[in-house]
C-alpha cells in the first residue's frame, strides 16, 4: 500500500476524475489509514511504498505490478502522468528480493490482472480495451507460466478489470457482466458458473473493487446489496468508507497490491 499524502485529482484519465471537484487530502489519508488498519486487524501483513510528490495516483498501488508465486511482472502505464510510478514499484520488489520481470508491453498490473490459483489449475484473468494491451496478456503468460484468459472491457466507466471483477477465493469470482463484451460474458459464465453477480448500482459504487482473503471480503461501504449477496454466499463482508479516493477512480482493491509468495 502507498499513503495518499500527495493524492489529488490534477488530471483526468478516467471518467471518474473531475479536476474541478475538490479533494480533501487529509480525509483521504484518514480513510486510507482505516483501510490499512482493517487489513492488519484481519491478520494480514502490510508493506508500505513511499509516496512521491508529483505522482498523485501512487495510492493506487495495485497498478504497479502483478505477482504470482513470487514472480513479479512489472507495469508499464498507458498514460504519461503515471509512467514514473513503475520505477518505484520495481525498486520495492527488487529491494525485497523478488524475481522481477520488466515489461515491454503496456499493462497496468493488478488493475487488469486477477489470479485464481485453484481455478482450472491456476488461471489469470486479464482485461483489455482501455489500458492494458492484448500483447501484455501474452507477455504476462510467458512471464508467469500461467494460462491467461483475455476479457474485453467495453464500458469506459469500468476502465480496469479490477473495477468490474474480483476473485473472492482461490477458485471463484464476483463480477458485473455489463462491463464486458458479449463474448467475454459467455467465457466468464462458462469458466465460473457459480460466480456472484453484481448489479449496475453496486458496480458503479465501486463494490467490485474489493479484496478477499477467501473468507473476509473488504469492500466499499456503498455497495450494500453486493455485501448482502456475498454474505449469502458464505463470505464475511467488511465494509470500508473510501469516498475521497473514489474521486480518483479507485477504491479498496486499487489501494492494495497483493504479494503472492
Amino acid at each position: 500500500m502507498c499513503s495518499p499524502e500527495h493524492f489529488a485529482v490534477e488530471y483526468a484519465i478516467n471518467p471518474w476524475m473531475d479536476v474541478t471537484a475538490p479533494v480533501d487530502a487529509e480525509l483521504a489519508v484518514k480513510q486510507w489509514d482505516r483501510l490499512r488498519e482493517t487489513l492488519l486487524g484481519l491478520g494480514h501483513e502490510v508493506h508500505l511504498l513511499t509516496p512521491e510528490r508529483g505522482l498523485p495516483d501512487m495510492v493506487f498501488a495495485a497498478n504497479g505490478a502483478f505477482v504470482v508465486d513470487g514472480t513479479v511482472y512489472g507495469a508499464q502505464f498507458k498514460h504519461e502522468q503515471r509512467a514514473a510510478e513503475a520505477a518505484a514499484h520495481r525498486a520495492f520488489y527488487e529491494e525485497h528480493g523478488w524475481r522481477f520481470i520488466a515489461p515491454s508491453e503496456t499493462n497496468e498490473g493488478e488493475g487488469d490482472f486477477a489470479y485464481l490459483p485453484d481455478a482450472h489449475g491456476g488461471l489469470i484473468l486479464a482485461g483489455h480495451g482501455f489500458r492494458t494491451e492484448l500483447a501484455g496478456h501474452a507477455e504476462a503468460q510467458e512471464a508467469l507460466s500461467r494460462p491467461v484468459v483475455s476479457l474485453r472491457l467495453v464500458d469506459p466507466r469500468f476502465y480496469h478489470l479490477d473495477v468490474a471483477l474480483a476473485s473472492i477465493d482461490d477458485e471463484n469470482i464476483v463480477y458485473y457482466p455489463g462491463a464486458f463484451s458479449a463474448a467475454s460474458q459467455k467465457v466468464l459464465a462458462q469458466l465460473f458458473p457459480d460466480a456472484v453477480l453484481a448489479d449496475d448500482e453496486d458496480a458503479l459504487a465501486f463494490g467490485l473493487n474489493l479484496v478477499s482473503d477467501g473468507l473476509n471480503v473488504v469492500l466499499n461501504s456503498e455497495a450494500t446489496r453486493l455485501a448482502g449477496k456475498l454474505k449469502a454466499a458464505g463470505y464475511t463482508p467488511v465494509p470500508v468508507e473510501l469516498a475521497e479516493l473514489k474521486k480518483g477512480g479507485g477504491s479498496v482493491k486499487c489501494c492494495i497490491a497483493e504479494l503472492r509468495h
Side-chain angles (χ1 to χ4, degrees):
M1 295 182 73
C2 182
S3 169
E5 60 186 76
H6 302 307
F7 177 66
V9 179
E10 298 171 349
Y11 46 77
I13 56 173
N14 68 58
W16 302 94
M17 300 176 93
D18 178 358
V19 294
T20 66
V23 170
D24 185 335
E26 194 178 326
L27 180 57
V29 171
K30 278 183 184 167
Q31 291 178 344
W32 173 88
D33 216 42
R34 278 200 288 273
L35 171 61
R36 184 182 64 85
E37 287 167 2
T38 297
L39 295 175
L40 292 171
L42 292 171
H44 301 292
E45 187 180 354
V46 178
H47 297 263
L48 297 178
L49 197 62
T50 305
E52 296 182 19
R53 198 175 295 280
L55 295 175
D57 280 343
M58 261 187 88
V59 62
F60 301 130
N63 304 153
F66 177 52
V67 187
V68 173
D69 292 347
T71 297
V72 184
Y73 174 52
Q76 182 169 293
F77 288 87
K78 177 174 181 175
H79 295 101
E80 62 180 342
Q81 293 98 328
R82 299 195 66 185
E85 293 177 40
H89 284 269
R90 179 173 186 165
F92 169 86
Y93 288 108
E94 289 182 337
E95 280 166 23
H96 286 79
W98 295 73
R99 178 173 175 247
F100 187 91
I101 296 175
S104 55
E105 304 293 344
T106 299
N107 84 87
E108 299 202 347
E110 284 196 312
D112 275 321
F113 291 111
Y115 182 54
L116 293 112
D118 294 342
H120 308 279
L123 201 61
I124 293 170
L125 301 180
H128 70 100
F130 298 102
R131 298 290 184 85
T132 297
E133 299 291 338
L134 264 174
H137 295 186
E139 190 173 64
Q141 181 165 281
E142 288 300 306
L144 301 168
S145 306
R146 293 288 185 281
V148 173
V149 176
S150 294
L151 302 166
R152 185 160 174 251
L153 297 162
V154 295
D155 185 330
R157 296 172 300 178
F158 304 101
Y159 61 94
H160 271 157
L161 183 72
D162 73 358
V163 289
L165 177 151
S167 61
I168 43 176
D169 57 34
D170 288 346
E171 56 187 356
N172 203 11
I173 61 170
V174 56
Y175 70 101
Y176 170 56
F180 299 92
S181 68
S184 292
Q185 288 181 41
K186 287 179 183 174
V187 169
L188 286 168
Q190 183 180 329
L191 288 173
F192 302 99
D194 300 321
V196 176
L197 301 183
D199 60 28
D200 54 352
E201 191 177 315
D202 282 333
L204 292 169
F206 278 73
L208 291 159
N209 195 240
L210 59 81
V211 166
S212 173
D213 59 16
L215 173 65
N216 304 290
V217 182
V218 184
L219 78 166
N220 195 296
S221 57
E222 292 177 46
T224 50
R225 271 200 299 219
L226 182 58
K229 286 182 180 179
L230 290 165
K231 192 170 186 179
Y235 302 90
T236 303
V238 183
V240 178
E241 169 63 54
L242 280 177
E244 286 307 296
L245 294 176
K246 191 178 171 189
K247 294 174 182 176
S251 189
V252 174
K253 174 61 203 167
C254 287
C255 293
I256 299 166
E258 293 177 63
L259 306 178
R260 303 177 188 87
H261 289 283

